[in-house]
Amino acid sequence: MLKYVSVFGASVLELSAGIPLGFIMHINPVITCVLSAAGSIMSAVIIIFLGKSLRSWLIKRMERKSKKQGRMARIWHKYGIIGLGLASPILTGAPFGAAIGVSFGANPRKLILWMTIGIIFWSIILTGLLAMGMLSMTSFS
């Protein structure tokens, strides 16, 4: 049980941390994928529900920075909430991506939907890639 909680907890902080941890702990890849996605989704939802107070803090913080926009701001302006939801789990991590969406005033329901889709997509991709890599390593041995 501690293995599962560890993978879930690591994914709350960073999706790409939970998946390798699950493989290191010899957890089934499907279970690793589900636990990692669930942990990452939970962290995004918590950040989105903190909403207003987080938004005002982020706006104050962003105003202090230069006018040069970061990668996620460019994605937001070009692709909107869908691009942010699909890209942020892999580029910035789900919690920070959710915070960025909140700071841009995204609709919370749509943000949760697209963050969830992005997290599930990247969980499947990363788990599959790691499983194939592990399988190829064992076939060479």
Side-chain angles (χ1 to χ4, degrees):
M1 185 65 160
L2 183 60
K3 291 180 184 182
Y4 300 139
V5 172
S6 298
V7 171
F8 182 87
S11 295
V12 166
L13 300 174
E14 181 64 49
L15 176 64
S16 60
I19 295 169
L21 184 61
F23 278 85
I24 290 169
M25 295 181 159
H26 303 286
I27 299 174
N28 180 298
V30 173
I31 295 171
T32 296
C33 183
V34 170
L35 289 171
S36 297
S40 198
I41 290 168
M42 187 185 88
S43 67
V45 169
I46 288 170
I47 295 295
I48 292 166
F49 280 130
L50 292 176
K52 290 181 183 178
S53 59
L54 178 66
R55 183 173 200 262
S56 51
W57 176 79
L58 283 170
I59 288 172
K60 287 178 189 174
R61 187 164 186 250
M62 292 175 127
E63 286 174 352
R64 286 188 233 142
K65 293 190 174 195
S66 69
K67 295 192 182 212
K68 182 179 178 186
Q69 294 182 341
R71 182 185 309 174
M72 292 313 295
R74 288 191 305 271
I75 290 171
W76 174 261
H77 293 299
K78 190 169 184 178
Y79 302 107
I81 200 166
I82 295 170
L84 179 76
L86 295 175
S88 65
I90 196 71
L91 294 178
T92 63
F96 192 63
I100 291 168
V102 167
S103 72
F104 287 135
N107 176 305
R109 286 184 181 185
K110 288 182 181 178
L111 185 58
I112 289 171
L113 172 68
W114 285 105
M115 290 293 298
T116 300
I117 291 169
I119 290 165
I120 291 170
F121 173 78
W122 285 110
S123 295
I124 292 168
I125 295 296
L126 293 174
T127 303
L129 288 173
L130 193 56
M132 287 188 295
M134 297 293 285
L135 185 60
S136 69
M137 294 297 284
T138 57
S139 66
F140 287 120
S141 299

